[in-house]
Amino acid sequence: MCIRDRLYPSVEAVISSLAAECRLALLSNTNVLHWEQIHSQSRVFRHFEHVFLSYEIRHCKPEPGAFDIVLERIPLASADILFLDDMEQNIAAARQAGLRAVQVNGSTEVLAALSDAGFDTSGVHPQPESDYDVAAR
């Protein structure tokens, strides 16, 4: 979702489009300083109904506890939650928790995964991300 403390160029369009269609949650491994910086730079986070930050929930992906907290607080069956992440170990942990999980890197792969899951992504046209191939960790 971000690189070098900036959001990918297409994040706002993708998130805004999804927010009109479904409920959104964010699970992020972050610290208070990074969160305050990135949160202050964008209004994209207003679209998330639930925000799970590792420094607040005291668990990081891929720890099972992080996914346990998400499942405790979101009133959906685990199989009804689509989890997207760029890290294979996080995908494996999400699947172990029962979530539908897809590894993605960049908006093009996110849109393909969402389309495959049945979401309408026809109105979203991401900007090229050639300079944004690797997500910051």
Side-chain angles (χ1 to χ4, degrees):
M1 190 158 122
C2 65
I3 181 162
R4 297 184 194 106
D5 300 326
R6 293 179 290 140
L7 294 177
Y8 281 128
S10 301
V11 166
E12 180 76 40
V14 172
I15 298 299
S16 295
S17 175
L18 280 176
E21 193 174 344
C22 64
R23 298 164 64 187
L24 300 176
L26 173 69
L27 173 59
S28 179
N29 290 348
T30 191
N31 62 56
V32 66
L33 296 175
H34 182 255
W35 175 250
E36 287 176 356
Q37 178 185 9
I38 199 79
H39 188 263
S40 69
Q41 293 175 0
S42 176
R43 293 176 35 92
V44 72
F45 302 103
R46 72 184 186 280
H47 296 295
F48 292 92
E49 183 176 333
H50 299 278
V51 176
F52 302 96
L53 306 173
S54 59
Y55 74 91
E56 291 181 341
I57 65 171
R58 307 255 190 257
H59 290 281
C60 292
K61 300 175 290 184
E63 296 172 10
F67 296 97
D68 291 343
I69 289 171
V70 168
L71 291 171
E72 287 171 10
R73 296 185 188 168
I74 295 179
L76 294 171
S78 59
D80 292 333
I81 297 173
L82 177 63
F83 177 80
L84 305 178
D85 198 280
D86 64 335
M87 304 287 293
E88 177 56 40
Q89 63 265 34
N90 296 340
I91 296 300
R95 288 179 179 154
Q96 185 68 31
L99 283 71
R100 293 182 297 154
V102 179
Q103 186 173 3
V104 295
N105 192 348
S107 294
T108 301
E109 290 183 13
V110 168
L111 291 173
L114 292 169
S115 180
D116 290 347
F119 292 96
D120 179 13
T121 60
S122 61
V124 182
H125 305 288
Q127 298 173 8
E129 295 177 346
S130 59
D131 295 336
Y132 300 91
D133 290 343
V134 180
R137 311 227 199 285

